[in-house]
Amino acid sequence: MSEVETVGPARREGRGRDAGGKARRERRSSGGGIHQLPFKTLRNPFKPVEILSADQIEAIHEASLDLLETVGLEVLHGETLDIFERAGAKVDRSTLRIRPDRGLILEAVAKAPAEFSLRARNPERDLVIGGDHLVFDATGGPAFVSDLDRGRRAGNEADMKDYIRLVHMLNVLHQEGGTGVEPTDLPAETRHLDVYESILTLTDKSWHCWGIGAFRVRDAIEMACIAYPTTREELMERPAVITIINSNSPMKFDGPMGEGLCELARNGQATVVTPFTLCGAMSPVTLAGALAQQNAEALFMAALTQLVRPGAPVVYGGFTSNVDMRSGAPAFGTPEYTRAAFASGQLARRCKLPYRSSNVNASNTVDVQAAYESSMSLWGTILGGVNLLAHAAGWLEGGLTASYEKLILDCEMLQLMRETLMPIPTDKASLGLDAIAEVGPGGHFFGVGHTLERFETAFYRPMLSDWRNFETWTDAGAVDGTRRANAIWKELLRQYQEPAMDPAIREELAAYVARRKKEIESGKY
Amino acid sequence: MSEVETVGPARREGRGRDAGGKARRERRSSGGGIHQLPFKTLRNPFKPVEILSADQIEAIHEASLDLLETVGLEVLHGETLDIFERAGAKVDRSTLRIRPDRGLILEAVAKAPAEFSLRARNPERDLVIGGDHLVFDATGGPAFVSDLDRGRRAGNEADMKDYIRLVHMLNVLHQEGGTGVEPTDLPAETRHLDVYESILTLTDKSWHCWGIGAFRVRDAIEMACIAYPTTREELMERPAVITIINSNSPMKFDGPMGEGLCELARNGQATVVTPFTLCGAMSPVTLAGALAQQNAEALFMAALTQLVRPGAPVVYGGFTSNVDMRSGAPAFGTPEYTRAAFASGQLARRCKLPYRSSNVNASNTVDVQAAYESSMSLWGTILGGVNLLAHAAGWLEGGLTASYEKLILDCEMLQLMRETLMPIPTDKASLGLDAIAEVGPGGHFFGVGHTLERFETAFYRPMLSDWRNFETWTDAGAVDGTRRANAIWKELLRQYQEPAMDPAIREELAAYVARRKKEIESGKY
């Protein structure tokens, strides 16, 4: 038993002082006091966890190439069939099956850049994907949205916009994730235009477009050219458009995704090629089998980008998790997910590709499960050497729902991870032996110069955590973390200011959207 | 945007089936259905995270030895002063200051074993501390106890016993942690006897005694000899008694802890020597300074164990965290804590000592903050190569409170961590290429032989997580993780059965306690 640890002098001193609590209450009540870290691009100093030996990496890698040569992919996209046929792959037109040999795949993949830059509308928010760079990308895709006040509801335009505003406000997020809330109240064929217009006007961060169908990619490219502003030629040199391209696991690649991939690659824009390999459902029940299949599908898509345009930026996506074998429901943030995240990083680096993974969980509400499953995901991916962390904030319920409170919770966890990557300086002043001598045995460090010179910035200051003592916290209403998150996103929305944009550009964007809506409504995609 | 990921076929298939949900409900309602992993000792396969370079480790290590030589420790324990004086250290009797030179410290520390065994009453639960072994030790020390039904209250005998029963029931816990709930309703001078009697009868796992005062250690040793049963000579060869010994940071070592340490070491029992270095309070505001001071105090205490008895088992304890500089309150599970946990492991291994750290948090309630701060602690310590994870389950509110729901939450998180340490087999059957060929493009793996042969045991099955879909979960009352934890600990208490003990031993223990209470009440410690 450790009595000193729990009732020692620091605890007495610490718990007895509540000047900070008072200051924090004042800061909160003043309305402007959400404390965040500033926007900053990140590099990961840690050597990735190696769960696979070198031999095991090779075994999975070679198995994936065997899979491509023997099973191959069924491809429902004519252009992809043509491209692989021209490259010399075995293509069976009657079964739509492409069985590329390993030489073709590896030669193509070798042309992809190990890292690349991605422009944002605000040049200060340009990103690098690959190497030891680490990018936090907000959630993309959920059909539902939820918060404590209004509950769970279908995605809609108003929430889609508020969500983008929050992604803009949350400094730890580097990138909008491709529609945190799907606006299901807008027409399906043209809603991507409304989303792009919202993204490009409500935030100046990097963003994800939609990858389903060539026309949605073309619209993204056109609107990026208007908004940044830039030309298509410049965009080709310095990409700004990115999205996730999924295979239809197992071993299938569909038409709309094929169109999206080819259109992006042709224009020198970035694809994040991601199989969706849930062990026991769309992939073998074994992690090694799912990883082999993931690697096969990812390398197939990565090779395709390079056959379309050598040097086109492409990111290796890992999304291997498992299902609950008693219900068939997807499970996320499991030990299987974490181990697959470590292994996927090793496989991506084996092929010198940037690595994408995700912050996932399967909880139905913003509770302890949501937090610990997300933590499992964050540590698995970040210690696994992820470069692009998709769905990094806001994902709930296996990705069906974008949650406002989860967005805040995740950003707190991302801030914690970000600060964990910071080095420990060990210069003479940091070692502080003089301060220890000055304080002497049994003293305390609150008042010494060494502390006073540094205390304002010495430690991470949280956005969501409440460190007041139990009595003060209870007197203030015993508000738990999820309810505090609720107050924080509302305050951030109150503080939100739209980033400046030239009115002429704003008009041009609106005109583009209006014109394209008419065209699409008349069948011109 | 990734539509396949969120509304793809697996999701539809997964969410559409709820046979497992039904089975789970039946299991829960049958009353016997808390699913846990079995008891198992663990080894950590991962190379520890290196946040410090080799040069930085040396800089901190050398600074700590400088501190011992220049500042030294103030020691309020006569025997420790005598021991160091006999060993040739500079001892100033007027200021009670010991300033041992580096040679003396390092020579002594080098005699400590790099790993050692620790007996449990049940030999199947014997443990190894050190090397790549990983031991999860329940919370020790809190003065308060809390649960959702009864709120927060002073520690008491009834809760002390229930807490031990739960620690016994929770398979992922290897060790009782030294009184999860302090029985403040029992007399202070004799309550250790009641606690030891409860531990030794209510669980057969390894346990922590109290380290404050030689008499409490002697009573632990005597009662272990009765309960196991064993002799003092056998116990000397095969230790069973362990506890945490804290220095009174900064640079001070008090009498009762000195007595406890010397008594343990003299009898060949294990000490976990742990400074309590909160940056900005009892140690410099800089991590490097706190780590140098931690290392100085830990090596001083470790050396003392070896001066008392060369080869006595001793564990290097790291407890460096920071205070909230605005309130002075201790903060836990912070990025500073996590980075210090990485660094402390490097410092412990530098001296070839087993490494102890803790699963800590500062939340006032079992909410998302409790979960993410604990996750930061778990990942920092386990990836930092911890051998003995103290306070691994149940700690809340900076250690002031032992929480029943937090105990369950932590055990779920420990199970997740334990499964994350499992290897990924990559043999031919695990790679499963035949299964992928059998399923073919676009199929699913639910029904294939490769899946059916493995699905029962393929994946981690959680105790606390709820993976039912939103509608089913909502219909069942939308119970969040903390409230599910509440139901789980109650069910475990209902299922609890006391481990068998020879009635003669049981009587002898009771007689020992009765006799010692009388002695202590009459002033004979």
Side-chain angles (χ1 to χ4, degrees):
Chain A
M1 200 200 57
S2 144
E3 293 203 339
V4 174
E5 277 170 15
T6 50
V7 293
R11 178 61 46 86
R12 282 197 295 272
E13 284 181 20
R15 295 296 190 183
R17 289 170 49 141
D18 197 39
K22 184 158 170 284
R24 195 158 48 234
R25 281 193 300 280
E26 283 166 1
R27 201 175 65 243
R28 286 234 169 112
S29 64
S30 76
I34 308 300
H35 189 270
Q36 293 186 64
L37 299 179
F39 183 91
K40 188 174 82 169
T41 56
L42 301 182
R43 305 184 83 133
N44 186 343
F46 296 127
K47 191 171 180 317
V49 168
E50 291 178 1
I51 193 168
L52 300 174
S53 68
D55 286 350
Q56 288 188 302
I57 297 172
E58 286 313 298
I60 295 175
H61 178 79
E62 291 297 329
S64 73
L65 298 171
D66 288 343
L67 270 181
L68 288 174
E69 291 180 352
T70 57
V71 178
L73 262 79
E74 183 183 330
V75 174
L76 310 181
H77 182 231
E79 188 183 354
T80 298
L81 292 165
D82 296 345
I83 289 167
F84 271 96
E85 199 165 54
R86 279 200 301 273
K90 269 182 280 185
V91 174
D92 181 337
R93 292 275 172 179
S94 66
T95 59
L96 305 173
R97 201 77 73 96
I98 303 178
R99 293 185 177 85
D101 66 49
R102 59 215 320 122
L104 190 163
I105 291 290
L106 295 178
E107 198 180 311
V109 167
K111 292 176 182 160
E115 68 176 59
F116 61 90
S117 297
L118 199 63
R119 287 182 67 183
R121 179 154 81 83
N122 178 347
E124 291 175 10
R125 295 178 167 192
D126 286 354
L127 302 173
V128 179
I129 314 275
D132 60 359
H133 296 269
L134 174 57
V135 167
F136 295 147
D137 169 27
T139 284
F144 296 92
V145 59
S146 78
D147 63 67
L148 286 185
D149 306 305
R150 294 169 289 182
R152 183 186 191 252
R153 55 201 182 272
N156 60 80
E157 186 181 8
D159 280 312
M160 177 267 287
K161 290 182 176 172
D162 276 347
Y163 218 80
I164 296 167
R165 292 182 180 107
L166 287 171
V167 169
H168 179 70
M169 289 294 286
L170 287 157
N171 297 335
V172 76
L173 295 176
H174 298 109
Q175 189 176 60
E176 191 281 335
T179 323
V181 177
E182 173 100 7
T184 60
D185 53 345
L186 298 176
E189 293 297 282
T190 58
R191 68 172 69 133
H192 66 284
L193 295 162
D194 302 291
V195 169
Y196 297 167
E197 188 178 14
S198 297
I199 291 172
L200 288 168
T201 55
L202 299 177
T203 182
D204 58 11
K205 291 184 182 178
S206 172
W207 56 292
H208 279 236
C209 76
W210 294 21
I212 297 182
F215 71 105
R216 294 194 176 93
V217 171
R218 277 196 297 272
D219 285 331
I221 290 170
E222 292 296 340
M223 291 177 72
C225 287
I226 295 169
Y228 278 53
T230 185
T231 64
R232 288 187 74 122
E233 295 67 35
E234 278 180 349
L235 201 68
M236 189 85 92
E237 294 302 310
R238 297 177 55 212
V241 178
I242 186 170
T243 199
I244 289 162
I245 297 290
N246 294 119
S247 46
N248 202 344
S249 307
M251 306 303 282
K252 197 167 169 178
F253 190 52
D254 70 22
M257 281 291 183
E259 284 187 19
L261 180 148
C262 291
E263 192 68 22
L264 283 158
R266 188 159 31 244
N267 288 283
Q269 306 305 298
T271 47
V272 185
V273 293
T274 310
F276 187 24
T277 38
L278 278 185
C279 293
M282 300 89 90
S283 69
V285 74
T286 49
L287 272 183
L291 289 165
Q293 186 192 314
Q294 168 188 292
N295 207 56
E297 296 177 18
L299 294 187
F300 177 88
M301 293 186 281
L304 176 56
T305 64
Q306 303 308 305
L307 294 174
V308 171
R309 180 182 161 87
V314 59
V315 180
Y316 178 111
F319 211 93
T320 294
S321 191
N322 61 292
V323 293
D324 174 2
M325 288 310 292
R326 286 172 303 291
S327 71
F332 292 109
T334 59
E336 289 77 20
Y337 184 84
T338 302
R339 287 148 74 215
F342 292 150
S344 298
Q346 293 182 279
L347 293 168
R349 289 186 294 277
R350 165 70 180 74
C351 290
K352 299 189 170 56
L353 293 173
Y355 169 40
R356 167 259 159 129
S357 190
S358 311
N359 174 13
V360 293
N361 73 97
S363 188
N364 286 303
T365 188
V366 185
D367 65 349
V368 294
Q369 180 183 337
Y372 67 68
E373 289 183 340
S374 273
S375 286
M376 289 292 292
S377 305
L378 287 173
W379 279 95
T381 54
I382 293 174
L383 268 287
V386 71
N387 300 115
L388 177 63
L389 185 67
H391 309 306
W395 225 65
L396 194 65
E397 204 193 311
L400 290 178
T401 291
S403 156
Y404 284 93
E405 286 83 19
K406 183 65 162 43
L407 182 62
I408 301 302
L409 167 61
D410 283 333
C411 285
E412 174 72 66
M413 291 199 287
L414 292 172
Q415 290 199 145
L416 291 170
M417 296 304 299
R418 167 174 153 175
E419 288 299 290
T420 299
L421 305 178
M422 296 300 112
I424 299 179
T426 52
D427 56 286
K428 187 161 180 293
S430 297
L431 284 167
L433 298 198
D434 293 345
I436 299 172
E438 179 186 345
V439 168
H444 70 72
F445 290 76
F446 285 118
V448 297
H450 188 264
T451 303
L452 295 175
E453 287 157 19
R454 293 169 176 82
F455 84 94
E456 289 277 9
T457 56
F459 307 132
Y460 169 66
R461 187 172 156 193
M463 173 168 66
L464 178 60
S465 303
D466 189 325
W467 290 337
R468 290 178 291 183
N469 67 32
F470 184 81
E471 293 71 19
T472 312
W473 174 81
T474 303
D475 290 348
V479 181
D480 70 21
T482 305
R483 286 192 289 147
R484 294 197 301 273
N486 177 271
I488 291 171
W489 69 256
K490 289 182 197 167
E491 175 59 29
L492 288 174
L493 275 185
R494 273 191 290 273
Q495 293 176 19
Y496 173 79
Q497 289 188 312
E498 203 169 294
M501 178 178 259
D502 180 336
I505 290 176
R506 183 74 195 79
E507 269 176 44
E508 196 181 341
L509 273 179
Y512 181 88
V513 168
R515 173 168 67 77
R516 285 289 295 140
K517 280 187 178 177
K518 276 196 191 143
E519 288 176 357
I520 290 171
E521 280 154 17
S522 67
K524 193 182 160 207
Y525 285 89
Chain B
M1 199 200 55
S2 144
E3 293 202 340
V4 174
E5 278 168 16
T6 50
V7 294
R11 179 60 47 86
R12 283 195 295 271
E13 285 180 349
R15 295 296 190 184
R17 290 169 50 142
D18 197 37
K22 184 157 170 282
R24 195 157 47 234
R25 281 192 300 279
E26 283 166 1
R27 201 175 63 246
R28 286 233 170 114
S29 63
S30 76
I34 307 301
H35 189 269
Q36 293 186 64
L37 300 179
F39 183 89
K40 189 174 82 169
T41 57
L42 301 181
R43 304 185 82 133
N44 187 341
F46 296 127
K47 192 171 178 315
V49 168
E50 291 178 359
I51 193 168
L52 300 174
S53 68
D55 286 350
Q56 288 188 301
I57 297 172
E58 287 312 298
I60 294 175
H61 177 78
E62 292 297 328
S64 74
L65 298 171
D66 288 344
L67 269 181
L68 287 174
E69 291 180 352
T70 57
V71 178
L73 261 80
E74 182 183 330
V75 175
L76 311 182
H77 181 232
E79 189 184 354
T80 298
L81 292 166
D82 295 344
I83 290 168
F84 271 96
E85 200 165 52
R86 278 201 302 272
K90 267 183 281 183
V91 174
D92 182 337
R93 293 274 173 177
S94 67
T95 59
L96 305 175
R97 202 76 74 93
I98 303 177
R99 292 186 177 84
D101 66 50
R102 59 216 319 123
L104 189 164
I105 290 290
L106 295 178
E107 198 180 311
V109 168
K111 293 176 182 160
E115 69 177 60
F116 61 89
S117 297
L118 199 63
R119 288 182 67 183
R121 178 154 81 83
N122 180 346
E124 290 175 11
R125 296 178 167 191
D126 286 354
L127 302 172
V128 179
I129 314 275
D132 61 359
H133 297 270
L134 174 56
V135 167
F136 295 149
D137 170 28
T139 284
F144 296 92
V145 59
S146 78
D147 63 67
L148 285 185
D149 306 304
R150 293 168 290 181
R152 182 187 193 252
R153 55 202 181 272
N156 59 80
E157 186 181 8
D159 281 311
M160 178 267 285
K161 290 182 177 174
D162 275 348
Y163 218 79
I164 295 167
R165 291 184 181 107
L166 288 170
V167 169
H168 179 70
M169 289 294 287
L170 288 158
N171 297 335
V172 77
L173 296 176
H174 298 108
Q175 188 174 61
E176 192 281 336
T179 323
V181 177
E182 173 101 8
T184 60
D185 53 346
L186 297 177
E189 293 298 282
T190 56
R191 68 173 69 135
H192 67 284
L193 294 163
D194 301 291
V195 169
Y196 296 168
E197 188 178 13
S198 297
I199 291 172
L200 288 168
T201 54
L202 298 176
T203 181
D204 59 11
K205 291 184 181 176
S206 172
W207 56 292
H208 279 236
C209 76
W210 294 22
I212 297 182
F215 71 106
R216 293 193 177 92
V217 170
R218 275 196 299 272
D219 285 330
I221 290 172
E222 293 297 338
M223 291 177 73
C225 286
I226 295 169
Y228 279 52
T230 187
T231 64
R232 288 188 75 123
E233 293 67 36
E234 278 180 352
L235 202 68
M236 188 87 91
E237 294 304 308
R238 298 176 56 212
V241 178
I242 186 169
T243 198
I244 290 163
I245 297 290
N246 294 119
S247 46
N248 203 344
S249 305
M251 305 305 279
K252 197 167 168 178
F253 190 52
D254 69 24
M257 281 291 183
E259 283 186 20
L261 180 148
C262 290
E263 191 68 21
L264 283 159
R266 189 158 30 242
N267 288 283
Q269 306 305 297
T271 47
V272 186
V273 293
T274 310
F276 187 25
T277 39
L278 278 185
C279 294
M282 299 90 91
S283 70
V285 74
T286 48
L287 272 183
L291 289 166
Q293 185 192 315
Q294 169 188 291
N295 208 55
E297 296 177 16
L299 293 188
F300 176 88
M301 293 186 281
L304 176 56
T305 64
Q306 303 307 305
L307 293 174
V308 171
R309 180 183 162 87
V314 59
V315 180
Y316 179 111
F319 211 94
T320 295
S321 192
N322 61 293
V323 294
D324 174 3
M325 287 311 290
R326 287 173 303 292
S327 71
F332 291 108
T334 59
E336 289 77 19
Y337 184 84
T338 302
R339 287 148 74 214
F342 292 149
S344 297
Q346 294 182 278
L347 292 168
R349 289 186 295 277
R350 166 70 179 74
C351 290
K352 300 189 170 55
L353 293 173
Y355 168 41
R356 168 258 160 128
S357 189
S358 312
N359 174 13
V360 292
N361 74 96
S363 187
N364 286 303
T365 188
V366 184
D367 66 350
V368 294
Q369 179 184 337
Y372 66 68
E373 288 184 339
S374 272
S375 287
M376 290 292 290
S377 304
L378 286 174
W379 279 95
T381 54
I382 293 175
L383 268 288
V386 71
N387 300 115
L388 177 63
L389 185 67
H391 309 306
W395 225 65
L396 194 65
E397 203 195 309
L400 290 180
T401 291
S403 155
Y404 284 92
E405 286 82 20
K406 183 66 163 41
L407 182 63
I408 302 303
L409 166 61
D410 283 333
C411 285
E412 175 71 66
M413 291 199 287
L414 291 172
Q415 290 199 148
L416 292 169
M417 296 305 298
R418 167 174 154 177
E419 288 299 290
T420 299
L421 306 179
M422 296 300 112
I424 299 179
T426 52
D427 55 287
K428 186 161 181 293
S430 297
L431 284 166
L433 298 199
D434 293 344
I436 300 172
E438 180 186 344
V439 168
H444 69 72
F445 290 75
F446 284 118
V448 297
H450 188 263
T451 303
L452 294 176
E453 287 156 19
R454 293 170 176 80
F455 83 94
E456 289 276 10
T457 55
F459 308 133
Y460 170 66
R461 187 172 155 192
M463 174 169 65
L464 178 61
S465 304
D466 190 326
W467 290 336
R468 289 178 292 183
N469 67 31
F470 184 82
E471 293 73 19
T472 311
W473 173 81
T474 302
D475 290 347
V479 181
D480 70 21
T482 304
R483 286 191 289 146
R484 293 197 301 273
N486 177 270
I488 291 171
W489 70 256
K490 289 183 200 166
E491 176 58 30
L492 288 175
L493 275 186
R494 273 191 291 273
Q495 292 176 19
Y496 173 79
Q497 289 189 311
E498 203 170 295
M501 178 177 259
D502 181 336
I505 290 176
R506 183 76 194 78
E507 268 176 45
E508 196 182 341
L509 274 178
Y512 181 89
V513 168
R515 174 169 65 80
R516 286 290 295 141
K517 280 188 179 176
K518 275 196 192 144
E519 287 177 358
I520 291 171
E521 279 154 17
S522 67
K524 192 182 162 207
Y525 284 89

